[in-house]
Amino acid sequence: MLNPKDTEGKVVLGTYDFNPKISRKKLAHIIILHEYPISMVDHEGFREYSNSLQPLFKVVTRNTIQSDIFKIFEDEKKKTMKSFECNKSRIVITSDMWIANNRERRYMTLTAHYIDDSWTLKSQIIRYIYAFVYSFLRTIISLYNSCSPCNL
């Protein structure tokens, strides 16, 4: 339990149990939640900031945090699939495409929508992909449209 005591602008802590596994999981969650780059764990400023908060926490490498994020993804995927198995209603799947941050990168999501047993509309993203295929298909379609029967 944390028992802070203010003494002349400094905080003196009492008993405190630090669990680095919880801190690692929280770090992965903020990277996911705020869409921070995974490489932030390699930034010197972030490492210094983390050390100033909790010297016992050793910031992990980008490969380790990426592995943690994939583990969270797999756990959430299992929960989603289990909710689909228990679902008694129909599932509607929609897709959405967009271009990110004034770049030519296109993304697509597939989202499942359904009504649960308590009549609450639920939505789950079931797939998120970099849609490079979209630009390829657009090129093929424009080439097809530019061809006339006379040119064949």
Side-chain angles (χ1 to χ4, degrees), residues 98-107:
W98 69 94
I99 300 172
N101 299 332
N102 296 326
R103 296 185 202 162
E104 286 298 314
R105 290 188 169 184
R106 290 171 171 78
Y107 295 92

Short mmCIF file of all heavy atoms in Angstrom, two decimals, residues 98-107:
data_model
loop_
_atom_site.label_atom_id
_atom_site.label_comp_id
_atom_site.label_asym_id
_atom_site.label_seq_id
_atom_site.Cartn_x
_atom_site.Cartn_y
_atom_site.Cartn_z
N TRP A 98 -9.27 3.75 -45.47
CA TRP A 98 -8.89 5.14 -45.35
C TRP A 98 -7.41 5.31 -45.64
O TRP A 98 -6.65 4.35 -45.65
CB TRP A 98 -9.24 5.69 -43.96
CG TRP A 98 -8.42 5.14 -42.85
CD1 TRP A 98 -7.30 5.67 -42.32
CD2 TRP A 98 -8.65 3.91 -42.15
NE1 TRP A 98 -6.82 4.87 -41.33
CE2 TRP A 98 -7.63 3.79 -41.20
CE3 TRP A 98 -9.63 2.91 -42.23
CZ2 TRP A 98 -7.55 2.70 -40.34
CZ3 TRP A 98 -9.54 1.84 -41.37
CH2 TRP A 98 -8.51 1.75 -40.44
N ILE A 99 -7.03 6.56 -45.87
CA ILE A 99 -5.63 6.92 -46.09
C ILE A 99 -5.14 7.59 -44.82
O ILE A 99 -5.79 8.47 -44.27
CB ILE A 99 -5.48 7.88 -47.29
CG1 ILE A 99 -6.01 7.22 -48.56
CG2 ILE A 99 -4.03 8.30 -47.46
CD1 ILE A 99 -6.06 8.15 -49.75
N ALA A 100 -3.98 7.19 -44.33
CA ALA A 100 -3.47 7.67 -43.06
C ALA A 100 -2.56 8.89 -43.24
O ALA A 100 -1.65 8.89 -44.07
CB ALA A 100 -2.70 6.57 -42.35
N ASN A 101 -2.84 9.93 -42.48
CA ASN A 101 -1.95 11.09 -42.28
C ASN A 101 -1.31 11.65 -43.56
O ASN A 101 -0.10 11.80 -43.63
CB ASN A 101 -0.85 10.75 -41.28
CG ASN A 101 -1.40 10.39 -39.93
OD1 ASN A 101 -2.46 10.85 -39.56
ND2 ASN A 101 -0.69 9.57 -39.20
N ASN A 102 -2.11 11.97 -44.53
CA ASN A 102 -1.63 12.59 -45.77
C ASN A 102 -0.55 11.76 -46.48
O ASN A 102 0.26 12.29 -47.22
CB ASN A 102 -1.10 14.00 -45.51
CG ASN A 102 -2.18 14.91 -45.02
OD1 ASN A 102 -3.33 14.79 -45.43
ND2 ASN A 102 -1.82 15.83 -44.16
N ARG A 103 -0.54 10.50 -46.23
CA ARG A 103 0.40 9.62 -46.92
C ARG A 103 -0.40 8.78 -47.90
O ARG A 103 -1.61 8.77 -47.90
CB ARG A 103 1.11 8.70 -45.93
CG ARG A 103 1.96 9.44 -44.95
CD ARG A 103 2.70 8.43 -44.12
NE ARG A 103 3.12 9.04 -42.86
CZ ARG A 103 3.46 8.36 -41.82
NH1 ARG A 103 3.44 7.06 -41.83
NH2 ARG A 103 3.84 8.98 -40.72
N GLU A 104 0.30 8.07 -48.69
CA GLU A 104 -0.37 7.19 -49.64
C GLU A 104 -0.61 5.80 -49.05
O GLU A 104 -0.85 4.86 -49.78
CB GLU A 104 0.46 7.07 -50.93
CG GLU A 104 0.38 8.30 -51.79
CD GLU A 104 -1.06 8.57 -52.28
OE1 GLU A 104 -1.74 7.64 -52.73
OE2 GLU A 104 -1.48 9.73 -52.19
N ARG A 105 -0.52 5.67 -47.74
CA ARG A 105 -0.78 4.37 -47.12
C ARG A 105 -2.27 4.21 -46.89
O ARG A 105 -2.91 5.04 -46.26
CB ARG A 105 -0.04 4.27 -45.79
CG ARG A 105 1.43 4.16 -45.98
CD ARG A 105 2.08 3.86 -44.67
NE ARG A 105 3.47 3.51 -44.92
CZ ARG A 105 4.30 3.13 -44.00
NH1 ARG A 105 3.89 3.04 -42.76
NH2 ARG A 105 5.53 2.83 -44.30
N ARG A 106 -2.78 3.12 -47.40
CA ARG A 106 -4.20 2.84 -47.25
C ARG A 106 -4.38 1.66 -46.29
O ARG A 106 -3.61 0.71 -46.33
CB ARG A 106 -4.81 2.51 -48.60
CG ARG A 106 -4.88 3.73 -49.49
CD ARG A 106 -5.28 3.34 -50.91
NE ARG A 106 -5.57 4.48 -51.72
CZ ARG A 106 -4.64 5.25 -52.29
NH1 ARG A 106 -3.38 4.99 -52.10
NH2 ARG A 106 -4.99 6.28 -53.03
N TYR A 107 -5.40 1.76 -45.46
CA TYR A 107 -5.69 0.72 -44.50
C TYR A 107 -7.14 0.28 -44.64
O TYR A 107 -7.98 1.04 -45.11
CB TYR A 107 -5.44 1.22 -43.07
CG TYR A 107 -3.99 1.55 -42.83
CD1 TYR A 107 -3.50 2.83 -43.04
CD2 TYR A 107 -3.11 0.57 -42.40
CE1 TYR A 107 -2.16 3.13 -42.82
CE2 TYR A 107 -1.78 0.85 -42.18
CZ TYR A 107 -1.31 2.14 -42.39
OH TYR A 107 0.01 2.41 -42.18
#
